[in-house]
Amino acid sequence: MNKADLVTAIETRLGGRKAATDAVDAVLDVIIREVARGNKVTITGFGTFEKVTRAARTGRNPRTGETVPIKKSAVPKFKPGTGFKAVVAKPSSLPKTGNAAGRAAAGTAGTAAPAKKAAAKKTATKAAAKKTATKATATKTAAKKAPAKKTTAATKTAAKKTTRAAKK
């Protein structure tokens, strides 16, 4: 899963792509800025992000075997929390629609209904788009086969047939 997939997954819960993108960007920005400053970011049940400094050391060039000095560096480190580890070890312990306990604790237990409505609306929109595309294809096909004066009647007949077929 990449960032775009994450935004798409959160989109239905927040009610829109813009809100989901803003939320993901805001969380990542805060975590990155705090870790870069040297602060530790701990998200209970998920894990801890922190900055770790690696000491200067001597490495070896694998091609020539020559020793190479490596400068000290600072890198980000993530340590998963116990809740995260438990879910990874036993995925069946995870609720089907996300963290229900977390939503209940935050006082937003009623957010599942709008997500279902949004998903139903999205499905209905896809079906309508498919239906429109089918009608357009049928119209083009009927227009090619029928003479110019009979196009409207042929189009209506083809549209009715595709509508009936789509409803089945």
Side-chain angles (χ1 to χ4, degrees):
M1 173 179 271
N2 59 24
K3 187 176 177 182
D5 295 336
L6 181 61
V7 168
T8 303
I10 294 173
E11 179 179 354
T12 57
R13 294 180 186 202
L14 295 182
R17 188 160 188 82
K18 174 102 172 89
T21 303
D22 290 345
V24 169
D25 287 343
V27 168
L28 294 178
D29 183 58
V30 169
I31 291 172
I32 290 169
R33 288 178 188 275
E34 287 300 313
V35 172
R37 287 187 194 128
N39 298 328
K40 187 186 281 191
V41 178
T42 302
I43 302 170
T44 305
F46 181 69
T48 304
F49 298 89
E50 62 184 319
K51 181 178 183 177
V52 177
T53 305
R54 291 184 180 168
R57 61 194 188 280
T58 309
R60 185 172 299 275
N61 183 339
R63 186 173 289 176
T64 63
E66 177 184 349
T67 58
V68 180
I70 300 173
K71 297 179 183 178
K72 72 176 188 174
S73 62
V75 294
K77 178 183 175 185
F78 175 73
K79 182 180 177 191
T82 53
F84 188 20
K85 288 179 187 177
V87 169
V88 170
K90 187 177 177 187
S92 62
S93 65
L94 188 65
K96 292 187 183 224
T97 59
N99 188 356
R103 283 197 307 268
T108 58
T111 57
K116 287 180 182 177
K117 287 181 183 178
K121 187 176 180 181
K122 189 175 182 180
T123 305
T125 306
K126 283 183 179 180
K130 188 174 182 180
K131 190 174 175 182
T132 305
T134 306
K135 282 184 180 180
T137 305
T139 304
K140 288 178 184 177
T141 306
K144 287 180 182 178
K145 291 181 180 177
K149 290 184 180 181
K150 294 183 181 179
T151 302
T152 55
T155 304
K156 288 179 183 177
T157 305
K160 285 181 184 177
K161 288 180 181 177
T162 55
T163 304
R164 288 181 195 146
K167 287 182 180 179
K168 291 180 184 178

